[in-house]
Amino acid sequence: MLASMVTLIGSAFGLYAIKYDTRLALERTRGLERQIAETTAKLAILTAEEAALTRPERIETLSRRHLDLQPMQPAQLAIVADLPWRTPDLSSQATAPALPVVPP
Amino acid sequence: MTASRRKSAHALPLIERRRLLVAGLGLAGLFAAEATQLGALAISGGGRTRQQPIEPFARSIARPDIVDRTGRLIATDIATPSLFADPSRVIDVDETAEKLATAFPALEASGLRRDLGDKNRHFLWLKRGLDPDEEKTALELGLPGVAFRTEPRRVYPIGQNAAQTIGFVDIENRGAAGIERWIDAMGRSETVDGPGRSSQEPIVLSLDLAVQHALRQELAKAIADTKAEAAAGVVLDVRTGEVIAASSLPDFLTGDAQASLLPATIDRLTTGSYELGSVFKTVTLAAAHEAGVLTPGKLYDARLPIRTGGQEIDDFHPTRRLLDAAGVFLHSSNIGAAKMATEVGEIRLRSILARLGLTEPQATELGQGPRPLLPVEWRPVSTMTIAFGHGIAVTPLQFAAAMATLVNGGQPVAPTFLKRAAPAVVDAAPVIGEATVGFMRDLLRRNVTSPDGTGGKADVPGYEVGGKTGTADILGDKGYAGAGVLTSFLATFPASNPRYVTFVLLWRPQATPATQGSRTAGANAAPLTGRLITRIAPILGLAPGREAARAL
């Protein structure tokens, strides 16, 4: 009888403790959720601002004004395979091609 | 015990038992109601009764972001404050109306006085989408019954670009035109509480903003050089039908609904049908090759104009000699093309127009295009004029897609403004024979490299550009004379294994020193295409080659 009373009171305290913890956790969750919403909203504004600042027409205007560069021409483009020769293969000395002799 | 109770209950007179039953049921009902209420309160969180917000106040529409094919942001929602009033809580109607009208010139005092005086109302929008300055002004007024509500508002951080393609939204953030309308039609926008953000993945467009910018800028330069009224251009991936860039000038600030209503700013690529002129000879040559009428050594007599049905068909640059099939194309001979089309015949010509998708309206994400204008009554002269691009009107995007089919291996192409998921290559049954495709690639390339050709100014060393000019008289009030011209250039590169098709058009260009005193396509649309390809080919990942362009 006494044991069951103690258990009852104990479990009641336990229950209340859990309930208050839950409420606290809930309040914290709400706070965090609000923070997330606010940060997301700010992020959206900043992302939009970044996109506006990096839009091609703006970058082009700025580069024309401040940089000493010109639009690229196709002749200035090459890929690696276009390079005329490769460095000799150093791992096999014996088969290394003779370097061209420069006439005096 | 149970038995004895039952027994005693049964011992009661019937009337008593009934009373007991009624009382018991009544009590049970009351307890149930109480339990429900308690449960509801426990769920809703305490004794505070929540005020149910008024409908338009509570909900707003969140839209997914729009990004280009490389992930650059085109459109997004940002949370902005909007000002509203609750007339039932406004204390001094006159003062509130006066102060608001002074702070926000768009508001009118007399109307406000009437609306705010209506004490039965609980909600009245004052101004949507305040900027930070306006928000501060409204805060400083400190009027009772006037408050803010944050709601999503669409912004387009790309400035003035792809305006007609993207479209715009209405005041409630609902898509009203272009891709924005498509988003709503697909159910990709959603209703949210307050300033909530969309839970949807971003919409990835096929457009590349860098290519888009280059196209728009080159079109603008061409307008400045030639004093043209308008210009339009499209860059199409021939293997997937993806629209890499699409621009129609004059345009407007992206998202500006008001400016989009001006007739000058219509999307000339998808909503306007035009007689394109000589550039249509590509279709004639392909039809002739498909039909097998181009036997080796075949010559077309272009010495005399054709007179038929009260019309005269003559060449713009008369050669007055016999031309082979390639010669008809390179010299852009109307006489030769008309004779060639007559050989092909109405039925086979109509069949190839249908196979290239030039006889039915073209549907894209922007909606259904206009129905192509074909002869109401098809006569022999119709076949002749269609051979050089008159008597048939299609949208420029539709024509570009047809040309993609002619060079990509013969596969039909459905243009799309959305990035295709990999594998992106269209795998449709060819509608044009392989031999014809090879013939067309070669012919287009020769029109740029040959001294006889009209497309020399479009060449870009290393990129193997192939193309065809078009200079069409515009049909005015008094017929085709004196109403100016529509010049265009259709190009494909690299011609031996085409990856892209470009199509640019200029409306009523003038002869200016910048175009060597000529107003034909070879002098304005062709060099425009050359400049365009020079800029965009590296962006598209193509390196120049000695024979053919290769992947970077």
Side-chain angles (χ1 to χ4, degrees):
Chain A
M1 184 68 185
L2 189 71
S4 68
M5 285 288 278
V6 170
T7 317
L8 186 71
I9 290 165
S11 66
F13 272 105
L15 194 69
Y16 273 107
I18 291 170
K19 195 180 167 186
Y20 278 110
D21 282 353
T22 315
R23 186 175 290 177
L24 274 176
L26 214 66
E27 268 166 27
R28 253 191 58 204
T29 316
R30 288 217 184 101
L32 286 174
E33 270 168 4
R34 190 176 304 120
Q35 244 183 351
I36 290 170
E38 277 168 14
T39 313
T40 318
K42 276 184 197 155
L43 190 68
I45 294 175
L46 290 175
T47 316
E49 247 180 64
E50 190 210 358
L53 292 175
T54 55
R55 64 184 193 273
E57 60 190 283
R58 184 171 176 274
I59 297 291
E60 185 177 337
T61 315
L62 288 176
S63 78
R64 278 186 198 281
R65 194 181 301 159
H66 299 294
L67 297 177
D68 192 22
L69 294 174
Q70 288 195 338
M72 189 185 66
Q73 294 302 311
Q76 294 169 298
L77 253 178
I79 59 177
V80 177
D82 285 346
L83 298 178
W85 44 265
R86 293 189 288 176
T87 50
D89 189 357
L90 297 177
S91 61
S92 49
Q93 289 283 341
T95 56
L99 288 170
V101 180
V102 183
Chain B
M1 194 173 153
T2 321
S4 73
R5 183 188 276 176
R6 193 178 286 159
K7 198 182 168 196
S8 67
H10 277 278
L12 285 171
L14 183 69
I15 185 93
E16 307 258 303
R17 284 216 314 265
R18 276 210 183 138
R19 276 179 190 158
L20 237 131
L21 188 72
V22 169
L25 279 177
L27 278 171
L30 284 173
F31 273 114
E34 198 180 331
T36 314
Q37 177 72 359
L38 274 171
L41 282 174
I43 292 163
S44 74
R48 275 176 286 130
T49 49
R50 267 172 70 167
Q51 202 173 6
Q52 219 26 259
I54 308 134
E55 186 54 29
F57 177 82
R59 317 294 274 169
S60 45
I61 293 166
R63 316 182 60 75
D65 287 353
I66 303 177
V67 298
D68 85 341
R69 64 185 301 115
T70 62
R72 274 176 289 220
L73 191 66
I74 290 175
T76 189
D77 279 352
I78 58 170
T80 49
S82 285
L83 196 64
F84 73 94
D86 180 349
S88 67
R89 295 189 183 185
V90 170
I91 297 164
D92 188 333
V93 173
D94 285 329
E95 189 204 354
T96 309
E98 276 321 314
K99 279 190 169 173
L100 283 170
T102 315
F104 299 103
L107 297 175
E108 192 218 343
S110 60
L112 274 179
R113 215 169 279 130
R114 188 188 59 237
D115 289 338
L116 293 173
D118 183 357
K119 293 295 171 198
N120 293 325
R121 286 183 78 163
H122 292 276
F123 189 85
L124 173 69
W125 278 123
L126 295 171
K127 194 166 193 311
R128 308 284 287 270
L130 301 183
D131 62 37
D133 281 347
E134 291 174 321
E135 186 187 6
K136 194 158 166 276
T137 313
L139 267 175
E140 280 166 358
L141 290 178
L143 296 166
V146 173
F148 297 102
R149 186 197 152 217
T150 322
E151 53 178 353
R153 184 179 171 202
R154 202 66 161 161
V155 291
Y156 303 90
I158 53 170
Q160 198 157 336
N161 226 336
Q164 292 95 337
T165 305
I166 306 302
F168 49 86
V169 296
D170 65 9
I171 191 86
E172 305 288 353
N173 218 23
R174 271 189 297 256
I179 289 291
E180 293 284 23
R181 188 171 62 185
W182 176 84
I183 289 174
D184 285 41
M186 291 290 114
R188 302 283 287 272
S189 60
E190 58 198 296
T191 313
V192 292
D193 282 324
R197 289 195 53 82
S198 171
S199 61
Q200 299 270 332
E201 288 292 305
I203 308 288
V204 185
L205 298 190
S206 59
L207 301 180
D208 182 319
L209 274 186
V211 179
Q212 176 72 32
H213 165 67
L215 172 64
R216 184 178 181 276
Q217 210 179 36
E218 291 302 335
L219 290 175
K221 184 182 183 305
I223 287 185
D225 282 352
T226 64
K227 302 186 171 65
E229 245 171 46
V234 61
V235 179
L236 197 68
D237 186 321
V238 299
R239 301 197 287 202
T240 64
E242 289 172 306
V243 178
I244 306 297
S247 190
S248 176
L249 299 180
D251 59 359
F252 48 91
L253 205 60
T254 309
D256 184 346
Q258 290 297 316
S260 77
L261 298 175
L262 300 172
T265 63
I266 62 154
D267 183 4
R268 289 163 197 269
L269 288 172
T270 60
T271 59
S273 294
Y274 306 97
E275 290 182 300
L276 296 170
S278 304
V279 73
F280 226 81
K281 282 172 193 150
T282 44
V283 176
T284 312
L285 267 290
H289 194 276
E290 272 296 269
V293 301
L294 301 181
T295 46
K298 179 132 194 188
L299 293 175
Y300 291 91
D301 187 352
R303 285 177 298 191
L304 289 172
I306 304 173
R307 281 191 185 79
T308 172
Q311 280 179 293
E312 188 184 91
I313 295 169
D314 200 358
D315 289 349
F316 189 73
H317 297 292
T319 51
R320 300 285 175 250
R321 58 185 168 96
L322 298 170
L323 298 167
D324 63 1
V328 167
F329 192 74
L330 301 185
H331 291 284
S332 200
S333 165
N334 294 341
I335 303 169
K339 288 185 173 171
M340 200 183 284
T342 306
E343 278 182 5
V344 172
E346 178 194 330
I347 292 167
R348 286 189 291 193
L349 185 62
R350 289 175 85 154
S351 153
I352 201 151
L353 289 174
R355 277 184 275 158
L356 292 175
L358 295 172
T359 54
E360 290 298 319
Q362 183 184 57
T364 65
E365 291 80 14
L366 306 187
Q368 180 100 326
R371 179 162 284 279
L373 300 174
L374 292 156
V376 180
E377 190 193 339
W378 199 295
R379 289 174 292 144
V381 69
S382 311
T383 306
M384 289 192 188
T385 61
I386 284 175
F388 53 91
H390 282 272
I392 182 167
V394 297
T395 69
L397 182 63
Q398 195 166 20
F399 184 71
M403 293 301 105
T405 301
L406 279 191
V407 298
N408 73 354
Q411 281 151 344
V413 164
T416 176
F417 288 91
L418 302 175
K419 187 177 183 178
R420 281 196 198 275
V425 178
V426 175
D427 192 22
V431 293
I432 302 292
E434 207 177 304
T436 303
V437 171
F439 173 70
M440 290 314 297
R441 289 174 177 176
D442 181 53
L443 207 54
L444 288 165
R445 177 66 183 143
R446 275 173 69 189
N447 192 41
V448 171
T449 53
S450 157
D452 286 344
T454 51
K457 289 208 167 71
D459 200 22
V460 181
Y463 284 116
E464 227 196 329
V465 178
K468 178 75 186 89
T469 52
T471 307
D473 287 323
I474 293 173
L475 184 59
D477 299 333
K478 294 170 188 138
Y480 283 103
V485 292
L486 165 60
T487 65
S488 60
F489 196 84
L490 177 278
T492 185
F493 63 98
S496 55
N497 183 21
R499 290 290 315 279
Y500 297 96
V501 155
T502 67
F503 188 44
V504 297
L505 306 97
L506 293 167
W507 274 263
R508 298 197 171 91
Q510 309 294 317
T512 64
T515 56
Q516 297 85 44
S518 166
R519 63 170 193 180
T520 57
N524 50 44
L528 160 61
T529 300
R531 288 193 298 266
L532 177 67
I533 294 176
T534 306
R535 285 183 69 168
I536 67 172
I539 304 174
L540 294 169
L542 292 171
R546 274 172 216 90
E547 269 90 53
R550 302 146 299 172
L552 259 181

